[in-house]
Amino acid sequence: MLETVRGPRQLIVGEGVAQNIPRLVAESGSRVLIVTDRVLLGQPGVAEIVAAVRQQVKAVEVFSDATPDVPLTDVTLAVSAAAEVDADVILAIGGGTVIDLAKIVGVIRRHGGTPRDYYGESRVPGPTPPLVAVPTTSGTGSELTPVSVLTDPDRELKVGVSSVHIVPDFAIVDPELTYTCPASVTAHSGIDAFCHAVESYTARPRPHGPRDPVEQVFLGRNAITDHYALRAAKLIARSLRRAVEDGGDTKARADMSYGSMLAGIAFSHAGNAAPHALQYPIGAATHTPHGLGVGLLLPYALDAAKDAVGDRLAILARVCGLDVTGASEAEAADTFLTWLDGLLADIGIPATLAELGVARAELPRFAEMAGGVTRLIQNHPGPTDTAGLTAILEAAWTGDRSRPGLTASRPAD
């Protein structure tokens, strides 16, 4: 039995912990690139952090032009900003886009080249400059993960750089920084975190040799990832609706911060699966938020794999607080999927791909593209050929989860 646990040098979670950021940055370097976006830079909490860091170090350059989905043009500009200050430490304050941008900037700052040199798994040759990651949303888990997701204009889907060397050195998860997060962003990032938890818990288990935990990033589910994934699912299930409805609900915000963090740990090892792989081409084609896309796709992908992971869906039903007393495993699994449909509707996630403007004729092409995202699709417990993935997309386009072909056989544990 082979397992591994990866993570930041230090993870600090809780209300008020953002006050530690200036000290941690100063202890990591003296010439700082701060990566954020213009909206956040205008918020008092973030502005105070930036001002405090300026007082602690020799030089600071702020790159505040981060835009959604990390286009390669942003990477070029941010790398130039890092060179201007000769940065030896990077501070990222923002959502997943900001933190993912900071990760790839660190790679190029240390190892040169372009982002394209590092696409895929384990192609970063060594450590990168210290990175202090501070999330302002509860969703991506990027402050803990070995992944940076980018948008390449020469490709029709988003691409990932995955390496243990880009896990941030420090992760500062302060729920107070999420209090100003708008309802739509709370919904999209929150359901993304729930997808991380569920996809990790239902990921296909895989056998490994002694070299695999070093040479591979995503390894499939195991006992360690199950622990984090279930705890994350419980916290998010009880608080996502509340956080969307009332951004001032501090208990819900705390649950979401903790849940997102735990889900990030889970998928950093187990990996994501079909909903994320399928969202890559769909998100690139429709320019819709990542969390919206994976949330929409999740119930259809789970339904396609229900025969393989029905036992795990039944456990998720109980963990999420559903009354399945006396229910069979299949009935409990269906109860979970029905509840998930209701959750998605309540937080404003569309029910079908047709509502996103996806052309039905494009579904087989999107399925084929997603099938090529091996690091993700190998984790899906259901069918992963083009026909199977197309069936998921057809169901998601029509909104019909009872379509023929959405079945899978249970893999051996």
Side-chain angles (χ1 to χ4, degrees), residues 338-362:
T338 300
W339 170 84
L340 178 57
D341 288 337
L343 173 65
L344 294 169
D346 287 348
I347 65 172
I349 303 298
T352 68
L353 292 176
E355 294 175 60
L356 301 187
V358 174
R360 192 172 191 175
E362 293 282 3

Side-chain angles (χ1 to χ4, degrees), residues 155-237:
R155 299 192 175 212
E156 292 183 281
L157 72 169
K158 290 187 284 187
V159 291
V161 174
S162 302
S163 169
V164 297
H165 296 303
I166 64 174
V167 177
D169 294 84
F170 296 95
I172 312 300
V173 182
D174 189 334
E176 292 179 356
L177 294 177
T178 70
Y179 291 173
T180 57
C181 192
S184 62
V185 177
T186 300
H188 297 158
S189 61
I191 199 61
D192 187 23
F194 192 70
C195 288
H196 293 158
V198 173
E199 288 176 54
S200 297
Y201 187 63
T202 57
R204 186 184 295 272
R206 306 202 305 269
H208 295 291
R211 294 177 63 92
D212 292 336
V214 173
E215 295 180 345
Q216 298 180 27
V217 177
F218 291 156
L219 298 164
R221 74 173 192 246
N222 58 53
I224 296 172
T225 61
D226 283 355
H227 170 77
Y228 289 112
L230 287 177
R231 179 63 178 166
K234 179 177 182 178
L235 292 171
I236 297 168

Side-chain angles (χ1 to χ4, degrees), residues 35-40 63-75 94-102 137 140 148-153 157-159 184-185 188 279 283-284 286-292:
V35 181
T36 187
D37 65 44
R38 292 192 178 276
V39 173
L40 288 169
F63 181 81
S64 60
D65 292 326
T67 54
D69 298 323
V70 197
L72 295 192
T73 50
D74 282 11
V75 178
T97 286
V98 166
I99 299 173
D100 282 2
L101 174 58
T137 64
T140 68
S148 174
V149 179
L150 317 172
T151 301
D152 187 329
L157 72 169
K158 290 187 284 187
V159 291
S184 62
V185 177
H188 297 158
Q279 193 277 335
T286 61
H287 303 288
T288 47
H290 169 77
L292 181 151

Side-chain angles (χ1 to χ4, degrees), residues 279-313:
Q279 193 277 335
Y280 277 11
I282 289 169
T286 61
H287 303 288
T288 47
H290 169 77
L292 181 151
V294 294
L296 188 160
L297 290 162
L298 180 63
Y300 300 102
L302 292 176
D303 198 79
K306 188 167 60 176
D307 290 346
V309 292
D311 56 338
R312 293 195 159 236
L313 298 181

